[in-house]
Amino acid sequence: MGIKSQILLADTTLRDGEQAPGVVLSSKQKAQLAKLLARCGIKEIEAGTPSIGQVELEAFDKILSLGLKVRIVAWGRMTNDDLKAVKASKVSTVNLSIPLSDIQIFTKLKTEKKQVLEKIKEYVSKAKEMGLEVAVGGEDASRANKYFLIEAIEMAKQFGAFRFRYADTVGILDPLRTYKTLSWLKKWTSLPLEFHGHDDFGMATANSIAAWQAGVDSISATLCGFGERAGNGALEEIAFFLTLREKVDTGIDLKALFSLCPIVARYFKRKIPPWKSIIGEDIFLHEAGIHVDGILKNPINYEPFNPSIIGRKHRFALGKHSGRKSVIWTYEKLGIKLSEQKALEILNKIKQFTVDKKRIPSKVELLEFVSDQSPCISQTTP
């Protein structure tokens, strides 16, 4: 038990990610994303739900025909129809899910805990008899009684499951509770654990990190955090943090993963907010004068990681919060060298402009601020 120097980051963009409202991926798109995920170093892809029907089976067929050196996983419920569909998909691995919280057992399944344990026994056994590798997914595990969780995990282990997924299905956890619960579970079972978080309270990524700290063996997440409701843990956030901050061997090519996010967003017909961590357009854009001054002295002052890792550079915006050095640096990039006095004059113009217009000035507008050809400025070669 304890913090691991290696971890499996499993992608579920093609399954749980596609469950984002209104998102439908074609079989061609699914196959393309699977290929690109494999190139990033992802070793496990939960590719969909075969019981959806023929369109999903066609997607599995396209993905499997690529011959990727990746574990392709199908998701299903513990029912005969779902198992039959999983077998038709021709995958070798299935994640069989079942609710484990009292509220879902009693109101969704309308059954008792004893029957849930019997289902785990029955359907793990059936899947194994079909020649499938079986992982058991504990739906709503974060609201389940922890002692019942142990019973369910041990039942899954006894009948041949190779892993148990602890799912924070409605995103109610916080990092401390995640750490405490999963650390406790690790003491009670030797079955490998996977964490799967949802972002309803904005904590899915943080909870995923806490799960790693508790010693889980894998984390299930989606690119860009896409998924139902508020989405899932963001795969790129988890991968970047573990790799760059914790020096964990994830086996993932960060630049390739970063480059894949806009493709996923396009397929999902979703816009990436400019402020979005890791993949947002503005994450290395600075306006505040104190930040720009610090960056110019040493970028590490205000950069959490080197932007070159994702093929970017830091940028400065001139606005209400800017300082003289920002102005001088920006105009030098435009081929204009300013005196300290002129820089201060232009800074005052810029601040007034942003107050009046409620936006930063464009390149053309910046040039207009010096169009009087004042003797305080001189032209330089860009």
mmCIF file of all heavy atoms in Angstrom, residues 17 49 84 118 142 158 215 355:
data_model
loop_
_atom_site.group_PDB
_atom_site.id
_atom_site.type_symbol
_atom_site.label_atom_id
_atom_site.label_comp_id
_atom_site.label_asym_id
_atom_site.label_seq_id
_atom_site.Cartn_x
_atom_site.Cartn_y
_atom_site.Cartn_z
ATOM 1 N N GLY A 17 -17.237 9.565 -21.507
ATOM 2 C CA GLY A 17 -17.159 10.885 -22.117
ATOM 3 C C GLY A 17 -18.268 11.112 -23.117
ATOM 4 O O GLY A 17 -18.901 12.174 -23.158
ATOM 5 N N THR A 49 -20.354 0.913 -24.904
ATOM 6 C CA THR A 49 -21.348 0.041 -24.292
ATOM 7 C C THR A 49 -22.018 -0.793 -25.374
ATOM 8 O O THR A 49 -22.908 -0.307 -26.082
ATOM 9 C CB THR A 49 -22.413 0.876 -23.543
ATOM 10 O OG1 THR A 49 -21.751 1.771 -22.633
ATOM 11 C CG2 THR A 49 -23.393 -0.005 -22.801
ATOM 12 N N LYS A 84 -24.339 -10.793 -23.402
ATOM 13 C CA LYS A 84 -24.438 -11.279 -24.777
ATOM 14 C C LYS A 84 -23.900 -10.233 -25.752
ATOM 15 O O LYS A 84 -23.178 -10.564 -26.698
ATOM 16 C CB LYS A 84 -25.903 -11.600 -25.086
ATOM 17 C CG LYS A 84 -26.131 -12.188 -26.477
ATOM 18 C CD LYS A 84 -27.605 -12.508 -26.684
ATOM 19 C CE LYS A 84 -27.850 -13.058 -28.095
ATOM 20 N NZ LYS A 84 -29.298 -13.339 -28.319
ATOM 21 N N GLU A 118 -25.127 -11.775 -4.858
ATOM 22 C CA GLU A 118 -25.385 -12.950 -5.688
ATOM 23 C C GLU A 118 -25.201 -12.626 -7.167
ATOM 24 O O GLU A 118 -24.705 -13.448 -7.944
ATOM 25 C CB GLU A 118 -26.798 -13.479 -5.433
ATOM 26 C CG GLU A 118 -26.963 -14.209 -4.114
ATOM 27 C CD GLU A 118 -26.058 -15.437 -4.019
ATOM 28 O OE1 GLU A 118 -25.987 -16.202 -5.008
ATOM 29 O OE2 GLU A 118 -25.410 -15.615 -2.972
ATOM 30 N N SER A 142 -19.173 5.644 -3.645
ATOM 31 C CA SER A 142 -18.886 6.686 -2.655
ATOM 32 C C SER A 142 -20.044 6.925 -1.694
ATOM 33 O O SER A 142 -19.863 7.570 -0.662
ATOM 34 C CB SER A 142 -18.510 7.997 -3.354
ATOM 35 O OG SER A 142 -19.508 8.387 -4.272
ATOM 36 N N GLN A 158 -13.186 -13.289 -5.345
ATOM 37 C CA GLN A 158 -13.344 -14.738 -5.183
ATOM 38 C C GLN A 158 -13.705 -15.430 -6.491
ATOM 39 O O GLN A 158 -13.236 -16.540 -6.769
ATOM 40 C CB GLN A 158 -14.413 -15.026 -4.127
ATOM 41 C CG GLN A 158 -14.647 -16.518 -3.872
ATOM 42 C CD GLN A 158 -15.751 -16.760 -2.844
ATOM 43 O OE1 GLN A 158 -16.159 -15.845 -2.130
ATOM 44 N NE2 GLN A 158 -16.231 -17.996 -2.773
ATOM 45 N N GLY A 215 -3.009 4.945 -2.884
ATOM 46 C CA GLY A 215 -2.431 3.703 -3.368
ATOM 47 C C GLY A 215 -3.241 2.921 -4.376
ATOM 48 O O GLY A 215 -2.975 1.730 -4.593
ATOM 49 N N VAL A 355 -10.718 50.429 -19.353
ATOM 50 C CA VAL A 355 -11.837 50.828 -18.494
ATOM 51 C C VAL A 355 -13.032 51.215 -19.346
ATOM 52 O O VAL A 355 -14.183 50.833 -19.064
ATOM 53 C CB VAL A 355 -11.433 51.993 -17.566
ATOM 54 C CG1 VAL A 355 -12.668 52.586 -16.886
ATOM 55 C CG2 VAL A 355 -10.436 51.519 -16.514
#
